[in-house]
Amino acid sequence: MSENCYMNRELSWLLFNERVLNEAGNARVPLAERLSFVSIFQSNLDEFFMVRVGSLMDQMLIDENERDNKTNMTASEQVECILEKVIQLEQKKKRIYEQLMGELEPHGVRIINFNKLSADEASILEEYFDTSIAPFLSPMVVGKQQPFPFLNNKELYAFVLLNSKNDKLKMGIIPCSNQIFKRLIEIPSRPGNFILCEELILHFASKLFKNYSIREKTVLRITRNADIDANDMLDEDLDYRNFMAHLIKQRKKMSPVRLELSRKINSQAKKELSEILGIDYNHIINIETPLDLKFVFELQRYLKKQPLLFYKKRIPKNPANIKLNRKLIPQMENKDYLLSFPFESIKPFLSLLHEAANDKSVVSIKMTLYRVADKSKIIDCLCEAAENGKEVVVVVELRARFDEENNIEMSRRLEDAGCRIIYGLGEYKVHSKLCLITRKTTDGIKYITQIGTGNYNEKTSTLYTDLSLITADERIGNEVSMVFRALMLGETVEETNYLLVAPKCLQNKILMMIEQQIQKGKNGYIGIKINSLTDKVIIDKLIEASKAGVKVELCVRGICCLVPGIPGITENIKVVSIVGRFLEHSRIYIFGTLETDNQTQIFIGSADFMTRNTERRVEVAVPIYDSEIRNRLIHIFTTVMQDDEKGKEFTKEQTYIDRNLHNGSFLSSQELFYEESYGKYREEP
């Protein structure tokens, strides 16, 4: 199959992050909200270097000849292309950041350069530095007695090249990250005008190194590899939770993958830094914006009194067809319900859990947890159920990257309340979103099952688009019970009749449903909404479907390794990506027709079409039987595919382009769904 059908995973991800950056420069996005996007772009890129670039650099050490299975690129070739693209993106970020800062000035907010201050203002800041900052700094000169210090991941350091009296060049380091003084320092005579603390430290660095003259100076920030495989390192004699805590500490000391400099320094100094830090010279990048952009959220707080600079306030609504003032269990037994976040509230599910924790007929609650909120009401409900004598079994995935510490603390709290805790499943991460409420009734055992596309997290339910099905369907309940039984035995499900359950019976069933559409030829239809598409087996089957004339519509927010629109190969495939106010996170799979047709197979689930999801995780997707919910999901899917406000179309040239499908009246699917939730079919909370 022609290689031009495929795009490299890492370069595709960089295109996604560029779409995030584009929102920071999008004049149709409220000004204060654009600040969020420029910061999200940076934090995304940090994680990309920590995980993906770190993984590629590890691969270079293990087998430098191993190649990407889609584009045939070696790890070193991928890293080279990544660095080239990142430098381009940093230049784009500089332009957008400077534009943003310029647009903020008429609204009373400004990040100011020290050289633009008056003599009186400079004097006031110098006094502030002397009394409120300098006493808390720990400057050091690198030498035989003081070797180059360990640089913490993503922290800021002032770096200076010093000339001593004997003319010998030395390095000086000043840590700038501190909990004592503020990052943004307001100019007393100019409310709303700020200077960054690292710039103030750098400006007065000479006061910290009085026996030297400063030759060059910069702020630097290091990014370290965080790609640790817990399975490869696990000592079976260690407690798994304690082992994961040890792993988190080790991650902070991993080898560097990127060094950012706020100012240019001479090439010899850069070479010495690369040798000292053990980082390739090409991984040292000059950044012409502040190295840490989290301070923009402080600027947003300063702008709160100007509501027109922000998105219109949106509050998730309670679905009108769920009566929160009545018992929920009987309602759930009568029909299936679908919650659509963030347009609808997570409150009905929380209320259901609370009711189950106190209902005498409920004998057990089983749940999978991947990422939860810091002060989780869901954890409160599970603890309440256990304390009320219910059997509570919680599968806690401690390997949820960068959420491990929160999950460790949460698991301890659950355990203290009497819950039974299972930590993942050996070589497979448990990423499924399942809750099974088991009741003992006069009619026998009854189940109420919840299956979703997103985490059990009250915070992200207001920020991510996700779907949550609540059903009393016995077919679904029995199979979810089977999934939990397997997890409790440390096993995976071998076969299912209704659910799609990775790693054994999701990918193969997806392939089978694609094949069924291939048999229909031009009458076939496939509609998929996911976050990422990298699974080559599924990609190749979709290409086969396109060649057979099947219409394939894909809404892929992030990575998409399938290139659409290639004549004779992928010409029947359309790919759209939506990057907007809310993070697109829901997954919908449709096989059949978008008409009201009971033969069409529709699923929602936790799995993206990535190899890690389909082959190395426990994922679950559920079929939708209720006709009202089926029609609603088709409406959601067709709407996102028509989105031309935030929806960009992926082309055969491997670029994303704007669309105008509605004669200049742009459709934002997220705004439309909120308007619908506020409309006649929904009630106020």
Side-chain angles (χ1 to χ4, degrees):
M1 196 168 289
S2 175
E3 286 187 11
N4 63 1
C5 296
Y6 310 107
M7 185 171 190
N8 176 263
R9 166 185 170 147
E10 320 307 344
L11 298 181
S12 178
W13 184 90
L14 287 172
L15 280 183
F16 154 68
N17 207 30
E18 184 172 12
R19 296 195 293 285
V20 174
L21 181 59
N22 289 341
E23 287 299 285
N26 184 348
R28 294 207 296 268
V29 175
L31 181 58
E33 304 289 357
R34 288 159 61 190
L35 292 169
S36 298
F37 284 105
V38 76
S39 180
I40 292 168
F41 166 83
Q42 184 196 50
S43 60
N44 283 349
L45 197 58
D46 287 345
E47 185 171 331
F48 176 73
F49 268 91
M50 291 164 65
V51 178
R52 297 306 307 167
V53 176
S55 175
L56 288 170
M57 292 177 71
D58 289 344
Q59 185 180 315
M60 288 162 61
L61 296 173
I62 297 168
D63 183 0
E64 62 182 15
N65 295 316
E66 185 176 345
R67 294 181 179 272
D68 168 36
N69 69 349
K70 289 175 276 292
T71 57
N72 206 35
M73 297 171 71
T74 64
S76 61
E77 288 170 342
Q78 292 179 70
V79 171
E80 183 180 349
C81 289
I82 287 167
L83 292 172
E84 182 181 339
K85 180 65 175 177
V86 165
I87 289 170
Q88 294 173 10
L89 290 176
E90 287 294 349
Q91 287 300 310
K92 187 172 191 176
K93 183 182 79 174
K94 176 195 173 188
R95 294 193 299 272
I96 289 174
Y97 174 81
E98 290 176 349
Q99 175 189 336
L100 277 172
M101 292 300 108
E103 291 184 42
L104 283 174
E105 289 189 19
H107 298 281
V109 171
R110 188 180 183 192
I111 303 296
I112 200 164
N113 187 300
F114 193 94
N115 297 325
K116 300 290 179 68
L117 297 174
S118 69
D120 288 343
E121 289 168 336
S123 178
I124 292 170
L125 281 181
E126 183 172 5
E127 183 181 353
Y128 178 81
F129 174 81
D130 290 339
T131 59
S132 301
I133 294 182
F136 304 105
L137 297 176
S138 302
M140 67 170 287
V141 177
V142 177
K144 289 183 180 179
Q145 283 73 40
Q146 289 181 297
F148 198 94
F150 180 83
L151 303 183
N152 291 322
N153 187 37
K154 298 193 295 181
E155 290 190 6
L156 300 176
Y157 296 86
F159 174 82
V160 293
L161 293 173
L162 303 167
N163 271 333
S164 60
K165 291 177 181 178
N166 61 11
D167 234 20
K168 188 174 181 181
L169 197 64
K170 292 191 174 183
M171 295 179 178
I173 301 284
I174 313 165
C176 297
S177 299
N178 197 305
Q179 298 298 318
I180 298 170
F181 46 79
K182 295 179 180 179
R183 175 87 188 286
L184 279 178
I185 300 166
E186 191 167 16
I187 314 300
S189 59
R190 301 194 210 178
N193 284 244
F194 303 91
I195 188 168
L196 295 170
C197 72
E198 67 267 22
E199 291 297 324
L200 195 62
I201 293 168
L202 202 63
H203 183 82
F204 288 117
S206 58
K207 303 187 77 168
L208 303 171
F209 300 100
K210 293 180 179 179
N211 295 324
Y212 300 87
S213 61
I214 294 179
R215 181 173 164 182
E216 297 181 42
K217 58 186 178 180
T218 186
V219 179
L220 61 79
R221 179 175 180 264
I222 201 162
T223 314
R224 295 187 176 276
N225 187 350
D227 187 51
I228 298 177
D229 189 333
N231 293 320
D232 290 345
M233 302 181 65
L234 178 59
D235 182 341
E236 292 184 358
D237 294 330
L238 291 176
D239 174 84
Y240 189 66
R241 186 165 56 198
N242 291 338
F243 166 75
M244 288 303 299
H246 169 73
L247 205 65
I248 295 163
K249 292 179 181 178
Q250 182 171 345
R251 174 185 285 156
K252 296 175 182 177
K253 300 178 181 179
M254 294 283 282
S255 59
V257 292
R258 178 182 58 167
L259 179 65
E260 298 169 285
L261 304 177
S262 69
R263 291 166 175 77
K264 292 181 180 179
I265 58 175
N266 71 79
S267 58
Q268 181 58 35
K270 285 174 66 175
K271 185 177 179 182
E272 288 184 33
L273 274 175
S274 73
E275 291 172 355
I276 291 168
L277 296 170
I279 188 171
D280 191 283
Y281 187 88
N282 293 330
H283 289 241
I284 301 177
I285 303 172
N286 289 314
I287 307 293
E288 298 181 73
T289 59
L291 301 188
D292 186 336
L293 291 170
K294 289 194 291 291
F295 70 87
V296 300
F297 298 111
E298 291 294 325
L299 297 182
Q300 286 180 330
R301 281 190 276 274
Y302 194 90
L303 294 165
K304 278 296 183 185
K305 293 181 180 179
Q306 303 182 57
L308 293 179
L309 300 182
F310 293 86
Y311 287 125
K312 180 180 178 181
K313 188 175 181 180
R314 294 294 200 182
I315 300 173
K317 299 298 181 182
N318 294 324
N321 56 352
I322 298 178
K323 308 299 181 184
L324 292 179
N325 58 349
R326 301 178 189 171
K327 288 284 187 181
L328 289 172
I329 289 175
Q331 294 181 63
M332 303 303 158
E333 285 188 319
N334 287 333
K335 73 182 297 293
D336 293 352
Y337 291 90
L338 182 76
L339 300 177
S340 178
F341 308 137
F343 320 107
E344 295 174 330
S345 173
I346 196 174
K347 190 174 180 181
F349 177 67
L350 295 174
S351 298
L352 175 64
L353 270 186
H354 174 69
E355 185 177 312
N358 293 278
D359 189 287
K360 292 182 180 179
S361 71
V362 172
V363 294
S364 73
I365 301 174
K366 298 182 176 72
M367 203 167 189
T368 59
L369 294 180
Y370 195 75
R371 301 186 196 275
V372 296
D374 290 339
K375 297 178 181 178
S376 173
K377 294 179 182 178
I378 287 168
I379 301 301
D380 291 344
C381 290
L382 294 175
C383 290
E384 181 184 21
E387 289 162 358
N388 287 342
K390 316 292 185 189
E391 180 194 28
V392 180
V393 178
V394 186
V395 181
V396 178
E397 184 49 79
L398 294 184
R399 295 165 295 181
R401 199 187 303 273
F402 305 123
D403 263 6
E404 297 98 337
E405 289 181 270
N406 188 39
N407 285 4
I408 288 169
E409 288 306 311
M410 173 260 292
S411 69
R412 289 192 176 116
R413 186 180 165 207
L414 288 168
E415 205 166 53
D416 289 344
C419 302
R420 178 179 172 185
I421 307 298
I422 300 170
Y423 298 119
L425 187 66
E427 63 184 296
Y428 301 109
K429 277 189 181 182
V430 179
H431 188 250
S432 53
K433 322 301 179 186
L434 299 178
C435 178
L436 183 70
I437 298 169
T438 304
R439 298 172 59 237
K440 185 178 181 181
T441 72
T442 54
D443 296 325
I445 295 296
K446 299 289 183 181
Y447 297 117
I448 294 177
T449 311
Q450 182 276 335
I451 302 179
T453 68
N455 296 305
Y456 296 107
N457 188 310
E458 299 94 321
K459 181 179 179 181
T460 58
S461 74
T462 66
L463 301 172
Y464 296 3
T465 73
D466 269 309
L467 298 164
S468 174
L469 177 74
I470 304 174
T471 179
D473 190 301
E474 289 187 13
R475 297 167 293 181
I476 304 304
N478 285 329
E479 289 208 341
V480 170
S481 178
M482 181 176 68
V483 172
F484 275 109
R485 254 194 323 272
L487 289 172
M488 292 165 70
L489 294 172
E491 300 171 354
T492 57
V493 172
E494 296 290 333
E495 186 53 69
T496 57
N497 293 318
Y498 308 104
L499 301 177
L500 311 180
V501 184
K504 300 288 180 63
C505 39
L506 186 144
Q507 185 196 65
N508 58 339
K509 291 179 181 289
I510 293 291
L511 295 174
M512 180 183 69
M513 288 185 281
I514 295 174
E515 177 60 34
Q516 290 170 351
Q517 299 308 307
I518 289 173
Q519 296 305 314
K520 298 178 184 178
K522 292 183 179 180
N523 294 321
Y525 178 82
I526 299 166
I528 306 291
K529 182 180 184 298
I530 48 179
N531 300 322
S532 296
L533 173 60
T534 68
D535 187 319
K536 190 172 184 295
V537 176
I538 292 178
I539 288 173
D540 287 345
K541 198 67 178 176
L542 290 172
I543 292 171
E544 185 182 341
S546 174
K547 288 181 175 180
V550 177
K551 183 178 180 181
V552 181
E553 293 188 314
L554 308 175
C555 183
V556 185
R557 183 198 78 220
I559 303 167
C560 182
C561 294
L562 170 59
V563 180
I566 299 173
I569 305 175
T570 59
E571 63 185 358
N572 292 309
I573 299 177
K574 176 186 287 188
V575 179
V576 170
S577 169
I578 295 175
V579 175
R581 175 177 182 175
F582 306 107
L583 182 83
E584 289 291 335
H585 195 253
S586 56
R587 289 94 165 187
I588 303 172
Y589 321 145
I590 302 171
F591 302 93
T593 173
L594 291 177
E595 305 299 326
T596 305
D597 184 349
N598 289 331
Q599 300 303 310
T600 298
Q601 295 170 289
I602 304 176
F603 296 80
I604 65 167
S606 59
D608 291 313
F609 289 174
M610 305 178 76
T611 306
R612 72 180 188 189
N613 298 90
T614 58
E615 297 183 6
R616 298 196 295 274
R617 289 185 175 183
V618 176
E619 305 273 13
V620 175
V622 61
I624 305 299
Y625 298 126
D626 182 271
S627 59
E628 181 182 334
I629 296 176
R630 287 165 63 85
N631 289 338
R632 190 174 171 198
L633 288 173
I634 289 173
H635 167 64
I636 290 171
F637 184 79
T638 55
T639 302
V640 298
M641 290 304 296
Q642 286 291 308
D643 189 321
D644 56 358
E645 174 65 51
K646 300 301 180 184
K648 311 300 178 187
E649 187 166 346
F650 192 32
T651 71
K652 63 178 183 293
E653 290 78 24
Q654 300 187 16
T655 60
Y656 284 83
I657 61 171
D658 292 334
R659 306 187 298 166
N660 185 351
L661 306 179
H662 305 94
N663 298 318
S665 177
F666 294 100
L667 170 66
S668 168
S669 57
Q670 295 179 355
E671 287 300 316
L672 176 64
F673 295 146
Y674 243 123
E675 290 299 327
E676 290 176 349
S677 78
Y678 276 48
K680 62 181 180 180
Y681 300 111
R682 305 287 177 260
E683 291 180 345
E684 295 292 329

PDB file of all heavy atoms in Angstrom, residues 10-23:
ATOM      1  N   GLU A  10       3.995  11.343  15.316  1.00  0.00           N
ATOM      2  CA  GLU A  10       4.507  12.490  16.066  1.00  0.00           C
ATOM      3  C   GLU A  10       4.274  13.801  15.314  1.00  0.00           C
ATOM      4  O   GLU A  10       3.907  14.824  15.908  1.00  0.00           O
ATOM      5  CB  GLU A  10       6.001  12.325  16.376  1.00  0.00           C
ATOM      6  CG  GLU A  10       6.441  10.929  16.781  1.00  0.00           C
ATOM      7  CD  GLU A  10       5.646  10.330  17.933  1.00  0.00           C
ATOM      8  OE1 GLU A  10       4.941  11.067  18.645  1.00  0.00           O
ATOM      9  OE2 GLU A  10       5.715   9.093  18.114  1.00  0.00           O
ATOM     10  N   LEU A  11       4.471  13.769  13.995  1.00  0.00           N
ATOM     11  CA  LEU A  11       4.263  14.984  13.204  1.00  0.00           C
ATOM     12  C   LEU A  11       2.780  15.328  13.137  1.00  0.00           C
ATOM     13  O   LEU A  11       2.410  16.507  13.106  1.00  0.00           O
ATOM     14  CB  LEU A  11       4.845  14.795  11.808  1.00  0.00           C
ATOM     15  CG  LEU A  11       6.367  14.550  11.764  1.00  0.00           C
ATOM     16  CD1 LEU A  11       6.841  14.408  10.324  1.00  0.00           C
ATOM     17  CD2 LEU A  11       7.135  15.665  12.474  1.00  0.00           C
ATOM     18  N   SER A  12       1.927  14.304  13.157  1.00  0.00           N
ATOM     19  CA  SER A  12       0.486  14.544  13.193  1.00  0.00           C
ATOM     20  C   SER A  12       0.099  15.202  14.510  1.00  0.00           C
ATOM     21  O   SER A  12      -0.717  16.129  14.545  1.00  0.00           O
ATOM     22  CB  SER A  12      -0.282  13.232  13.015  1.00  0.00           C
ATOM     23  OG  SER A  12      -1.673  13.451  13.092  1.00  0.00           O
ATOM     24  N   TRP A  13       0.704  14.748  15.612  1.00  0.00           N
ATOM     25  CA  TRP A  13       0.407  15.369  16.904  1.00  0.00           C
ATOM     26  C   TRP A  13       0.830  16.835  16.908  1.00  0.00           C
ATOM     27  O   TRP A  13       0.123  17.692  17.444  1.00  0.00           O
ATOM     28  CB  TRP A  13       1.116  14.627  18.041  1.00  0.00           C
ATOM     29  CG  TRP A  13       0.730  15.198  19.370  1.00  0.00           C
ATOM     30  CD1 TRP A  13      -0.307  14.810  20.160  1.00  0.00           C
ATOM     31  CD2 TRP A  13       1.327  16.330  20.024  1.00  0.00           C
ATOM     32  NE1 TRP A  13      -0.379  15.620  21.275  1.00  0.00           N
ATOM     33  CE2 TRP A  13       0.609  16.556  21.213  1.00  0.00           C
ATOM     34  CE3 TRP A  13       2.402  17.161  19.721  1.00  0.00           C
ATOM     35  CZ2 TRP A  13       0.930  17.578  22.106  1.00  0.00           C
ATOM     36  CZ3 TRP A  13       2.721  18.186  20.602  1.00  0.00           C
ATOM     37  CH2 TRP A  13       1.999  18.387  21.776  1.00  0.00           C
ATOM     38  N   LEU A  14       1.964  17.144  16.309  1.00  0.00           N
ATOM     39  CA  LEU A  14       2.415  18.539  16.258  1.00  0.00           C
ATOM     40  C   LEU A  14       1.435  19.397  15.456  1.00  0.00           C
ATOM     41  O   LEU A  14       1.224  20.574  15.772  1.00  0.00           O
ATOM     42  CB  LEU A  14       3.824  18.622  15.671  1.00  0.00           C
ATOM     43  CG  LEU A  14       4.941  18.127  16.596  1.00  0.00           C
ATOM     44  CD1 LEU A  14       6.268  18.063  15.847  1.00  0.00           C
ATOM     45  CD2 LEU A  14       5.074  19.009  17.832  1.00  0.00           C
ATOM     46  N   LEU A  15       0.826  18.811  14.432  1.00  0.00           N
ATOM     47  CA  LEU A  15      -0.217  19.539  13.685  1.00  0.00           C
ATOM     48  C   LEU A  15      -1.418  19.822  14.585  1.00  0.00           C
ATOM     49  O   LEU A  15      -2.034  20.889  14.501  1.00  0.00           O
ATOM     50  CB  LEU A  15      -0.661  18.740  12.460  1.00  0.00           C
ATOM     51  CG  LEU A  15       0.222  18.798  11.217  1.00  0.00           C
ATOM     52  CD1 LEU A  15      -0.427  18.009  10.079  1.00  0.00           C
ATOM     53  CD2 LEU A  15       0.472  20.232  10.772  1.00  0.00           C
ATOM     54  N   PHE A  16      -1.761  18.849  15.437  1.00  0.00           N
ATOM     55  CA  PHE A  16      -2.851  19.072  16.388  1.00  0.00           C
ATOM     56  C   PHE A  16      -2.505  20.232  17.322  1.00  0.00           C
ATOM     57  O   PHE A  16      -3.318  21.141  17.544  1.00  0.00           O
ATOM     58  CB  PHE A  16      -3.121  17.807  17.211  1.00  0.00           C
ATOM     59  CG  PHE A  16      -3.726  18.081  18.556  1.00  0.00           C
ATOM     60  CD1 PHE A  16      -5.017  18.575  18.669  1.00  0.00           C
ATOM     61  CD2 PHE A  16      -2.987  17.877  19.724  1.00  0.00           C
ATOM     62  CE1 PHE A  16      -5.567  18.856  19.912  1.00  0.00           C
ATOM     63  CE2 PHE A  16      -3.532  18.161  20.964  1.00  0.00           C
ATOM     64  CZ  PHE A  16      -4.827  18.644  21.056  1.00  0.00           C
ATOM     65  N   ASN A  17      -1.289  20.219  17.870  1.00  0.00           N
ATOM     66  CA  ASN A  17      -0.931  21.277  18.815  1.00  0.00           C
ATOM     67  C   ASN A  17      -0.844  22.634  18.115  1.00  0.00           C
ATOM     68  O   ASN A  17      -1.086  23.669  18.732  1.00  0.00           O
ATOM     69  CB  ASN A  17       0.392  20.949  19.510  1.00  0.00           C
ATOM     70  CG  ASN A  17       0.497  21.596  20.875  1.00  0.00           C
ATOM     71  OD1 ASN A  17      -0.510  21.815  21.553  1.00  0.00           O
ATOM     72  ND2 ASN A  17       1.701  21.929  21.298  1.00  0.00           N
ATOM     73  N   GLU A  18      -0.537  22.616  16.828  1.00  0.00           N
ATOM     74  CA  GLU A  18      -0.554  23.876  16.074  1.00  0.00           C
ATOM     75  C   GLU A  18      -1.980  24.410  15.977  1.00  0.00           C
ATOM     76  O   GLU A  18      -2.203  25.633  16.010  1.00  0.00           O
ATOM     77  CB  GLU A  18       0.033  23.671  14.683  1.00  0.00           C
ATOM     78  CG  GLU A  18       0.144  24.961  13.880  1.00  0.00           C
ATOM     79  CD  GLU A  18       0.901  24.796  12.575  1.00  0.00           C
ATOM     80  OE1 GLU A  18       1.153  23.636  12.160  1.00  0.00           O
ATOM     81  OE2 GLU A  18       1.240  25.821  11.952  1.00  0.00           O
ATOM     82  N   ARG A  19      -2.967  23.524  15.898  1.00  0.00           N
ATOM     83  CA  ARG A  19      -4.359  23.967  15.869  1.00  0.00           C
ATOM     84  C   ARG A  19      -4.749  24.595  17.213  1.00  0.00           C
ATOM     85  O   ARG A  19      -5.548  25.526  17.256  1.00  0.00           O
ATOM     86  CB  ARG A  19      -5.290  22.802  15.520  1.00  0.00           C
ATOM     87  CG  ARG A  19      -5.058  22.261  14.113  1.00  0.00           C
ATOM     88  CD  ARG A  19      -6.180  21.374  13.622  1.00  0.00           C
ATOM     89  NE  ARG A  19      -6.316  20.127  14.327  1.00  0.00           N
ATOM     90  CZ  ARG A  19      -5.518  19.073  14.178  1.00  0.00           C
ATOM     91  NH1 ARG A  19      -4.487  19.146  13.363  1.00  0.00           N
ATOM     92  NH2 ARG A  19      -5.732  17.949  14.848  1.00  0.00           N
ATOM     93  N   VAL A  20      -4.173  24.071  18.302  1.00  0.00           N
ATOM     94  CA  VAL A  20      -4.375  24.692  19.613  1.00  0.00           C
ATOM     95  C   VAL A  20      -3.774  26.096  19.604  1.00  0.00           C
ATOM     96  O   VAL A  20      -4.409  27.067  20.041  1.00  0.00           O
ATOM     97  CB  VAL A  20      -3.732  23.840  20.730  1.00  0.00           C
ATOM     98  CG1 VAL A  20      -3.808  24.562  22.073  1.00  0.00           C
ATOM     99  CG2 VAL A  20      -4.408  22.476  20.820  1.00  0.00           C
ATOM    100  N   LEU A  21      -2.556  26.218  19.086  1.00  0.00           N
ATOM    101  CA  LEU A  21      -1.884  27.524  19.020  1.00  0.00           C
ATOM    102  C   LEU A  21      -2.667  28.498  18.146  1.00  0.00           C
ATOM    103  O   LEU A  21      -2.762  29.697  18.452  1.00  0.00           O
ATOM    104  CB  LEU A  21      -0.463  27.340  18.488  1.00  0.00           C
ATOM    105  CG  LEU A  21       0.406  28.594  18.379  1.00  0.00           C
ATOM    106  CD1 LEU A  21       0.561  29.277  19.729  1.00  0.00           C
ATOM    107  CD2 LEU A  21       1.768  28.246  17.784  1.00  0.00           C
ATOM    108  N   ASN A  22      -3.235  27.985  17.063  1.00  0.00           N
ATOM    109  CA  ASN A  22      -4.015  28.850  16.166  1.00  0.00           C
ATOM    110  C   ASN A  22      -5.199  29.493  16.890  1.00  0.00           C
ATOM    111  O   ASN A  22      -5.597  30.617  16.563  1.00  0.00           O
ATOM    112  CB  ASN A  22      -4.514  28.056  14.958  1.00  0.00           C
ATOM    113  CG  ASN A  22      -3.393  27.702  14.000  1.00  0.00           C
ATOM    114  OD1 ASN A  22      -2.323  28.314  14.021  1.00  0.00           O
ATOM    115  ND2 ASN A  22      -3.616  26.703  13.157  1.00  0.00           N
ATOM    116  N   GLU A  23      -5.770  28.775  17.861  1.00  0.00           N
ATOM    117  CA  GLU A  23      -6.874  29.345  18.628  1.00  0.00           C
ATOM    118  C   GLU A  23      -6.400  30.533  19.467  1.00  0.00           C
ATOM    119  O   GLU A  23      -7.168  31.453  19.734  1.00  0.00           O
ATOM    120  CB  GLU A  23      -7.510  28.282  19.527  1.00  0.00           C
ATOM    121  CG  GLU A  23      -8.349  27.253  18.780  1.00  0.00           C
ATOM    122  CD  GLU A  23      -9.511  27.883  18.037  1.00  0.00           C
ATOM    123  OE1 GLU A  23     -10.497  28.272  18.694  1.00  0.00           O
ATOM    124  OE2 GLU A  23      -9.432  28.000  16.799  1.00  0.00           O
TER     125      GLU A  23
END
